[in-house]
Amino acid sequence: MFSTAVLLANTPDQLLPARELMAFTLASHILLVPFGVALPFITLLMHHRGLRRNDPVALLLARRWSAVMAVQFAIGIITGTVLSFEFGLLWPGMMGRWGDVFGLGFGVEAWAFFLEAVLIAIYLYGWRRLKPWTHFWLAVPLPPAALMGAFGIIAANSWMNTPQGFSLDARGRPIDVDVRQAIFTPIFGPEYWHFVVAMLLTAAYVVAGVYAVGWLRGRRDRYHRLGFTVPFTVAAILTPVQFMLGDSAARAVFHKQPIKFAATEIVWKTDTHVPEYMFGRLNSDGTISGGLKIPQLDSILAGFKPSTQVTGLTSVPAADRPTAVQATIAHWAFDIMVTIGSLLILLALWYAWSWWRHRDNPRGRWFYRCAAISGVACLVTVECGWITTEVGRQPWIVYHRMRVSEAVTSTDASGIWTMLGIVMAVYVLVFGAFLAVVLKMRTRWRIADEGSAAARAELPPEDDTPYGPRSEPEPAAAAVAPDGGSGHTSGGAS
Amino acid sequence: MAEFIAWVLVLAIAAYACAGGTDYGAGFWDLLAGGAERGKRPRWLIDHAMAPVWEVNNVWLVFVLVIMWTGFPTMFQAVFSALWLPLALAAVGLVLRGAGFALRKPTRRLARRRIYGAMFAVSSLVTPFFLGAVLGGIASGRVKVGTTAAADAWANGTSVLAGLLAIAATAFLGAVFLCSDALRFGAHDLVDYFRVRALIAFGAVVVLALIALPVTRDDARYVWDGLTGGLGLLLIILAAVCGLATVLLLLRRSHGWTRYTSVASVALTVGAWGCAQRPYALPTSLTVAEAAGAAHTLRWLMIVTAIAIVLVGPALVLLYRLDTMGELEELTDADTGAVRAAGDDL
């Protein structure tokens, strides 16, 4: 009780809105990240197939995916830029003190991202005029650039989890910065690979899920088959890999951030033979309500034998560890992530078994139903993974070095609440509009595929787009927009 | 070393002012293009000119921020604490602008495209204003380490004028580029349309600069002195020469070099501001050397920058080259096989 009062007294008013704002913008941005990192890779796979086998269906898929990529990448750039503003607007204390220690990761990321933006522009706008293979090869550096960008971001985040590469002077300010140590921190490797595979996996399941829905609705043509099989195969191969990586990441947390591990597993007292709780709620007196208790399992998972000692939350003062609520949040996020991951393994095995036995995709509707929701489930795991790592680190923004409350801006709380309101409204609009645009594109493509070829033939190919090819003189050049609101300027459109 | 990184920062700001500024300018003219009918042709041109490059142009800003917090963390903290509101508003403007532009393209209904277009155009005005105001606030010496967020830091003569100058400069750049683009895309009626606007925008820049001279004389004395003497003055004169050259070329309708001269004038102005502020990161309270982060980090920042220039440079050149040669074209419905759906206006 006393410690709670102390915590409250030390908490500036603006901390809550600053946290909420950061959480909201990150939670939104992270939904786009899988596509920024992995959609180019999946599209290039399809593109390559289309070019090598001279397969128009594969090429059509690649083109359509890149049309989606264009909108998605734009929204991702915008939300990403907002994040870099927010580092300064919300956490000036952290950037001011530690910017030169861990900022270089962002430097790498910024350049990689720059390269990605350049390459993606060339790829998206190169379809029509560049030679097919030149166009393809110019895009090949895209996936490595995306991996490089992820490298920078994860380097910065893993530094916040396991900070090193500096020493402190008498005033507690960092000196003797060693950049290499600050980038390659202990948690970096496990976190990086876990993240990269998660991004690939998620993008692949989401794309495959779209075509699984089409299959369920009776569209069983080659187009849907290909659109499903290529990304789903990528995802199915990566799912078990991800399970191993996740396990090693959890063990790295056990060794390097024992309190975070205790929070995600809601371990109260340091002990051996610690049971594993599936879900359940940690109360502030250390008891656990609900949940499924499996004796000894937590110790076994952490160190492969029941006698493994697991550090508990109470090994540090209450002010230095997540609260019971925060621990419960991290625990639930972690358990949801693991549960979904395990279910996805079953799905991947189902797929593998079917290919092994029948050389074909499974035929049952249930398989496609599961595949259809796997994408959404993956997005949930991405959110959960991020919540686990961020909430589990509380109350530290830099683990054991700086509290979130020390990093927060001194700006008035009401200003940040207002900003949060504005940003939420804007983001809801932007993401809603983004979704609407993508769904609209899908509808238009579907109608086209469903054989309204006659209807399409009536329209000259360029005329039903608002923006035709640029290098040809605009047909309406002479007649400056004489038509009404619903018409189109291009000659012969109607 | 810190000095060198500070120049890299000034260069990145100059690059953003030129690349991003051109896009803001395009948005400015989008705003003033008139109703859906009257503005159709200019907007068509603006869309085509911006589409392949605007994302790249936007990333310069991220790079500016990263150099700031990695190279000069104290300064970053001070700036973001003192100038909270204009920076927050600029960030909101960036979201609306990018989303407006990105979503307008694939949208088919006129009413929705109007909304996205308005979003894009209005924030093209708001964002550079606040970013300019931030630079003005810094130049006026109102931002010190420990300054808390207050309106005074950015709601003052210098800041407002810097914000207005930023808008005028982007409008100038935008119009000059659109002039060349109109020529390149064969839209000859638009060449004169944007030529006139480029000249008007240049006039606005000159008028604002003349107003700024007396207003900022006492308000931002250190930078004012730097800009009216020594190397700063030399760069300003060069910038003015480039600006005048642009105007002459525009008047003579020789558009071949106008893009380079207009970019040079803006970049030189940013450079002059960098010169005028020396040796301060925050005029008269924090020098570049004091603001600098750890030496080891700065060295690595330089290495990363050098590697990045080697990697990104050729790609960037390729992009701009392909773009100006007209090799970059958006996918159309013909390529993705889409059909017109009920309710589409276009």
Side-chain angles (χ1 to χ4, degrees):
Chain A
M1 200 59 205
F2 172 72
S3 59
T4 315
V6 170
L7 276 178
L8 282 175
N10 286 339
T11 306
D13 282 346
Q14 65 273 25
L15 185 61
L16 184 63
R19 241 185 200 155
E20 300 294 325
L21 179 52
M22 194 75 201
F24 177 76
T25 41
L26 250 176
S28 316
H29 179 68
I30 211 168
L31 290 175
L32 295 170
V33 175
F35 306 101
V37 172
L39 196 54
F41 171 71
I42 298 169
T43 306
L44 282 176
L45 270 186
M46 192 58 93
H47 190 170
H48 185 258
R49 190 188 168 99
L51 285 179
R52 203 168 44 107
R53 305 192 183 178
N54 201 10
D55 180 345
V57 175
L59 277 179
L60 183 66
L61 279 163
R63 279 200 200 103
R64 287 180 176 177
W65 290 352
S66 71
V68 173
M69 210 195 302
V71 193
Q72 172 275 322
F73 194 70
I75 306 287
I77 283 204
I78 298 154
T79 53
T81 311
V82 168
L83 285 178
S84 54
F85 265 83
E86 284 182 351
F87 286 129
L89 291 172
L90 302 177
W91 317 110
M94 172 171 75
M95 306 315 288
R97 176 174 293 191
W98 305 103
D100 57 342
V101 186
F102 82 117
L104 199 71
F106 289 113
V108 173
E109 195 271 347
W111 277 117
F113 191 51
F114 200 108
L115 189 60
E116 204 184 338
V118 172
L119 292 170
I120 222 164
I122 294 176
Y123 184 61
L124 294 178
Y125 291 87
W127 276 105
R128 310 192 89 216
R129 298 206 161 250
L130 297 179
K131 283 190 196 121
W133 279 104
T134 315
H135 175 232
F136 173 80
W137 284 111
L138 280 175
V140 165
L142 258 176
L147 289 187
M148 198 66 204
F151 170 91
I153 284 291
I154 297 300
N157 185 265
S158 68
W159 182 87
M160 288 160 71
N161 282 309
T162 48
Q164 64 170 33
F166 59 92
S167 44
L168 296 177
D169 67 3
R171 290 183 305 148
R173 300 190 72 88
I175 48 166
D176 301 332
V177 175
D178 182 338
V179 168
R180 264 165 298 184
Q181 273 197 27
I183 286 189
F184 297 99
T185 60
I187 208 90
F188 172 74
E191 194 177 329
Y192 177 69
W193 292 113
H194 189 55
F195 174 82
V196 165
V197 176
M199 296 301 109
L200 278 166
L201 201 62
T202 305
Y205 272 128
V206 170
V207 174
V210 171
Y211 296 95
V213 172
W215 192 93
L216 284 170
R217 290 186 181 164
R219 289 186 279 279
R220 315 243 157 124
D221 45 15
R222 180 147 182 283
Y223 173 83
H224 280 82
R225 189 181 152 78
L226 205 56
F228 176 81
T229 308
V230 169
F232 197 86
T233 308
V234 171
I237 292 169
L238 287 175
T239 305
V241 175
Q242 178 68 339
F243 203 76
M244 309 298 286
L245 288 169
D247 181 60
S248 88
R251 205 160 294 114
V253 170
F254 170 68
H255 289 295
K256 305 296 176 191
Q257 293 183 282
I259 303 301
K260 181 192 270 188
F261 187 81
T264 55
E265 298 285 18
I266 46 175
V267 180
W268 187 249
K269 278 205 199 96
T270 306
D271 205 353
T272 57
H273 304 276
V274 178
E276 170 85 19
Y277 281 93
M278 292 288 290
F279 301 99
R281 191 178 87 238
L282 179 69
N283 302 309
S284 49
D285 59 358
T287 57
I288 291 167
S289 332
L292 177 67
K293 182 179 177 180
I294 306 167
Q296 314 247 19
L297 185 63
D298 196 37
S299 285
I300 295 173
L301 287 176
F304 304 114
K305 52 180 191 284
S307 58
T308 308
Q309 176 170 311
V310 180
T311 310
L313 284 167
T314 50
S315 62
V316 293
D320 291 350
R321 65 184 191 224
T323 62
V325 175
Q326 287 166 344
T328 306
I329 292 173
H331 177 63
W332 272 72
F334 182 73
D335 279 4
I336 293 172
M337 172 169 68
V338 173
T339 309
I340 294 177
S342 310
L343 292 174
L344 288 176
I345 290 235
L346 295 180
L347 189 65
L349 286 176
W350 189 348
Y351 185 70
W353 186 79
S354 172
W355 269 94
W356 181 55
R357 295 302 305 251
H358 308 300
R359 303 267 137 220
D360 199 3
N361 292 348
R363 293 206 190 86
R365 290 186 76 79
W366 274 106
F367 173 77
Y368 285 93
R369 282 188 189 124
C370 295
I373 55 170
S374 65
V376 182
C378 263
L379 286 171
V380 173
T381 62
V382 168
E383 293 282 3
C384 284
W386 165 70
I387 290 172
T388 309
T389 190
E390 296 303 299
V391 176
R393 197 182 56 231
Q394 300 302 320
W396 305 102
I397 196 162
V398 180
Y399 200 56
H400 286 320
R401 299 289 185 178
M402 181 182 257
R403 287 166 200 282
V404 181
S405 56
E406 294 169 82
V408 75
T409 175
S410 59
T411 301
D412 200 44
S414 59
I416 307 179
W417 281 117
T418 313
M419 173 94 176
L420 175 63
I422 295 172
V423 168
M424 282 177 95
V426 168
Y427 270 40
V428 165
L429 283 177
V430 167
F431 276 80
F434 164 64
L435 212 62
V437 162
V438 172
L439 290 177
K440 189 80 189 170
M441 283 181 181
R442 188 201 58 169
T443 311
R444 293 164 55 89
W445 293 336
R446 196 191 66 218
I447 294 171
D449 292 348
E450 279 174 354
S452 52
R456 203 176 348 157
E458 283 172 20
L459 296 168
E462 309 302 338
D463 285 336
D464 55 344
T465 69
Y467 311 103
R470 49 154 53 174
S471 58
E472 296 159 31
E474 173 81 338
V480 181
D483 58 331
S486 62
H488 190 279
T489 50
S490 305
S494 38
Chain B
M1 186 67 77
E3 179 90 349
F4 184 83
I5 297 291
W7 279 111
V8 174
L9 180 60
V10 171
L11 277 180
I13 294 176
Y16 182 60
C18 294
T22 306
D23 289 351
Y24 285 121
F28 180 83
W29 297 118
D30 191 296
L31 182 67
L32 296 191
E37 286 319 312
R38 205 154 56 83
K40 194 168 226 156
R41 297 266 303 141
R43 288 203 179 99
W44 163 81
L45 179 67
I46 288 164
D47 264 320
H48 272 280
M50 271 180 69
V53 290
W54 78 272
E55 281 154 334
V56 175
N57 292 344
N58 210 33
V59 182
W60 282 110
L61 181 61
V62 177
F63 194 57
V64 169
L65 297 178
V66 170
I67 298 182
M68 254 172 96
W69 75 55
T70 311
F72 308 99
T74 338
M75 171 204 179
F76 181 80
Q77 180 175 9
V79 169
F80 271 79
S81 300
L83 296 164
W84 198 88
L85 192 59
L87 284 165
L89 291 173
V92 172
L94 281 170
V95 181
L96 291 177
R97 189 184 128 77
F101 185 72
L103 295 173
R104 178 166 70 166
K105 275 186 294 171
T107 306
R108 311 289 151 139
R109 281 176 205 243
L110 189 63
R112 285 196 196 137
R113 291 187 42 210
R114 272 199 181 121
I115 295 172
Y116 294 140
M119 233 162 85
F120 160 66
V122 171
S123 43
S124 291
L125 196 68
V126 170
T127 315
F129 175 80
F130 285 116
L131 291 177
V134 165
L135 284 191
I138 294 171
S140 72
R142 284 181 170 83
V143 180
K144 298 184 173 64
V145 174
T147 307
T148 49
D152 167 62
W154 63 279
N156 58 70
T158 308
S159 286
V160 170
L161 272 168
L164 293 176
L165 262 172
I167 293 177
T170 58
F172 171 61
L173 276 178
V176 169
F177 271 71
L178 286 168
C179 226
S180 309
D181 290 330
L183 208 60
R184 171 154 70 93
F185 298 152
H188 295 284
D189 56 319
L190 289 175
V191 177
D192 271 341
Y193 178 95
F194 282 113
R195 198 170 69 103
V196 174
R197 279 159 179 74
L199 294 173
I200 294 172
F202 186 77
V205 172
V206 172
V207 169
L208 284 169
L210 289 178
I211 296 173
L213 268 178
V215 172
T216 57
R217 187 168 178 271
D218 294 315
D219 198 39
R221 190 59 197 234
Y222 188 84
V223 172
W224 196 89
D225 284 344
L227 285 175
T228 52
L231 195 53
L233 181 63
L234 179 67
L235 290 177
I236 284 286
I237 290 173
L238 285 175
V241 169
C242 287
L244 285 174
T246 315
V247 167
L248 280 178
L249 289 170
L250 283 173
L251 286 174
R252 295 185 51 211
R253 292 172 203 272
S254 46
H255 297 284
W257 283 90
T258 48
R259 279 184 297 187
Y260 303 101
T261 50
S262 61
V263 160
S265 71
V266 171
L268 284 166
T269 310
V270 174
W273 160 73
C275 260
Q277 249 189 227
R278 277 188 316 171
Y280 291 107
L282 299 173
T284 72
S285 67
L286 186 74
T287 63
V288 166
E290 287 164 352
H296 191 76
T297 307
L298 293 186
R299 202 159 52 239
W300 273 96
L301 189 58
M302 213 170 74
I303 295 171
V304 167
T305 309
I307 295 173
I309 289 171
V310 172
L311 286 179
V312 178
L316 197 61
V317 170
L318 180 68
L319 172 68
Y320 283 134
R321 234 187 107 68
L322 289 175
D323 185 40
T324 45
M325 293 190 325
E327 297 286 326
L328 296 184
E329 246 179 48
E330 213 168 329
L331 282 173
T332 65
D333 288 353
D335 299 305
T336 57
V339 291
R340 187 197 287 209
D344 288 353
D345 284 323
L346 288 161

